[in-house]
Amino acid sequence: MKGKNESMAEGRAKPFSRALMRWTRPLRYRLTYPVLEVCRLVIGLLPHGMVPWLGRGLGRLAWLFGGQKRRLAERQMQEAGVAQDARSVTILSRGMYQSLAMNGLEWLHSRSWDEWTVRERVTIEGSDLFLEALGEGKGAILVTGHLGNWELMLLALRIHTGQSLAAVMAETRNAQLDHWLKRMREQSGHTIISHKTALIGMVRHLRRGGLLAMLADQDSTRGRGVFVDFFGKPAYTPAGPAHLAHRMGVPIIPMTMLRREDDPRRHHYRIHAPIHADPAADQESEIRRITQLYTKVLEEQIRKAPAQWVWIHERWRHSPGQKVRVRSAGGKLRQA
């Protein structure tokens, strides 16, 4: 147990640490863009085979200093049942940090890939389902999660299918980071919709028969959600895709991409069966049904490769019966 003096020292250190982060924030924000650009240029000079190796090393280092986030991830892994004992928890949590580092470095490296390279490193399954859904001429909502290298999915989709899409981007406090991320994502040939004007942009895009990509696997208060089953527990889940599908009469197409265990330089992109809304059904129950369906698809894929999902997010932050303070696009809070 910690002594009294040690506990008092920790108590004094926390306010000082927070103050230091606040004082240095302007400088850190200004350095974001040049630092990221230098990293992108350096990573781009490396052979692709070195990227997973370097990512594993950086990920292991981040895991060692994971602190509170690492403990959160390990607790959620145990509660979800993907890790049964201390050894498996350690292996999975370390693998998760390594996966995140590999994803980030590989995404930077992919800026220099040509079409042949993308096709060779990312195989695709279910493109016939995708093309069939597009044949309806109504557009579609592509739902995925923070699983595998989700940033690389945008580039792979365009190369394999020739289709461009619009993706919603949630802004951060760091305008430099937002600008850099938006530019990088648009280089994949897609349109980025700001979260501040997301609803209008999404509706207009779908009415034109476009494709809309959305992440729907986190306990987010940026939009309304519903509680559905996720790893055997009720989880507050974004219901925006379900609302749009029911309102616009467009299909939802779940998509996932996992890094191959036999070759970490390659990925398997899977397009799952479309989910169709029933316009005659009760809206509330239909939105819950649709949300549960695409959440189930994501859970099944996470179970196949649990180390490739972002467990450092507090997925079960809210519980049924609890008031959820939802932040609207304009930044205002309202009760869900």
Side-chain angles (χ1 to χ4, degrees):
M1 296 179 62
K2 295 180 180 179
K4 181 178 180 180
N5 292 338
E6 186 178 353
S7 299
M8 291 177 63
E10 284 188 3
R12 289 192 297 268
K14 288 182 179 179
F16 174 76
S17 176
R18 287 194 293 266
L20 182 62
M21 294 295 289
R22 186 171 61 252
W23 293 335
T24 60
R25 184 181 298 157
L27 176 62
R28 289 185 287 110
Y29 282 7
R30 281 196 296 270
L31 290 175
T32 298
Y33 198 98
V35 168
L36 288 173
E37 279 297 287
V38 169
C39 291
R40 181 182 66 82
L41 293 172
V42 171
I43 295 299
L45 296 174
L46 300 177
H48 182 231
M50 285 190 62
V51 175
W53 176 82
L54 181 60
R56 283 197 185 100
L58 292 176
R60 188 181 184 91
L61 185 64
W63 173 77
L64 289 172
F65 295 94
Q68 185 176 354
K69 285 292 186 180
R70 172 181 162 183
R71 290 190 291 273
L72 169 65
E74 293 176 346
R75 174 174 60 80
Q76 293 190 134
M77 288 175 178
Q78 288 182 306
E79 292 177 352
V82 298
Q84 305 299 328
D85 51 45
R87 183 173 181 274
S88 60
V89 166
T90 298
I91 293 173
L92 279 180
S93 63
R94 183 171 61 233
M96 178 200 62
Y97 275 94
Q98 291 175 321
S99 175
L100 288 173
M102 284 191 289
N103 290 346
L105 296 184
E106 187 175 47
W107 183 50
L108 294 177
H109 195 270
S110 70
R111 300 302 90 186
S112 62
W113 295 3
D114 56 22
E115 289 193 13
W116 182 88
T117 303
V118 175
R119 292 179 182 276
E120 194 265 338
R121 292 173 183 170
V122 183
T123 57
I124 192 167
E125 173 189 355
S127 55
D128 54 331
L129 297 172
F130 181 72
L131 295 175
E132 182 181 345
L134 295 186
E136 299 177 8
K138 297 180 179 180
I141 301 171
L142 314 180
V143 173
T144 188
H146 298 79
L147 175 66
N149 198 335
W150 67 91
E151 290 285 2
L152 189 58
M153 290 181 71
L154 296 179
L155 176 62
L157 179 70
R158 184 179 62 80
I159 297 300
H160 277 286
T161 67
Q163 297 290 328
S164 296
L165 54 80
V168 179
M169 174 176 164
E171 286 80 5
T172 68
R173 292 181 179 179
N174 190 341
Q176 292 279 331
L177 175 61
D178 290 340
H179 176 66
W180 185 84
L181 286 172
K182 184 175 184 291
R183 183 173 68 86
M184 290 285 287
R185 287 164 176 164
E186 287 180 337
Q187 285 180 358
S188 296
H190 303 292
T191 302
I192 302 300
I193 299 176
S194 168
H195 182 267
K196 296 177 181 178
T197 58
L199 181 58
I200 296 174
M202 289 188 293
V203 170
R204 287 176 177 172
H205 188 74
L206 288 172
R207 281 178 177 167
R208 292 193 295 264
L211 299 175
L212 180 69
M214 303 180 73
L215 291 162
D217 65 329
Q218 293 193 339
D219 186 325
S220 173
T221 57
R222 290 184 179 272
R224 291 185 181 273
V226 294
F227 284 95
V228 296
D229 181 81
F230 188 58
F231 284 93
K233 300 192 298 180
Y236 188 72
T237 303
H243 277 282
L244 281 171
H246 189 269
R247 174 180 174 180
M248 306 292 295
V250 299
I252 288 179
I253 307 177
M255 292 183 160
T256 55
M257 188 165 76
L258 296 177
R259 189 180 297 275
R260 285 171 46 179
E261 293 185 4
D262 61 326
D263 188 349
R265 299 170 301 171
R266 290 174 170 78
H267 309 261
H268 184 68
Y269 195 148
R270 184 174 178 185
I271 300 173
H272 301 265
I275 301 169
H276 296 273
D278 181 0
D282 173 71
Q283 178 176 329
E284 183 177 348
S285 59
E286 185 67 357
I287 287 170
R288 190 176 302 277
R289 180 188 73 86
I290 295 170
T291 306
Q292 180 65 79
L293 286 175
Y294 59 69
T295 299
K296 186 64 176 177
V297 171
L298 292 174
E299 179 186 331
E300 290 172 352
Q301 295 302 301
I302 294 169
R303 287 186 180 276
K304 292 181 179 180
Q308 295 190 40
W309 190 57
V310 184
W311 294 92
I312 53 176
H313 167 74
E314 191 174 0
R315 184 62 183 90
W316 291 272
R317 180 156 50 101
H318 294 98
S319 55
Q322 178 184 0
K323 288 185 177 180
V324 181
R325 294 170 62 84
V326 178
R327 187 175 298 277
S328 66
K332 297 180 180 180
L333 292 172
R334 63 177 185 268
Q335 301 295 335

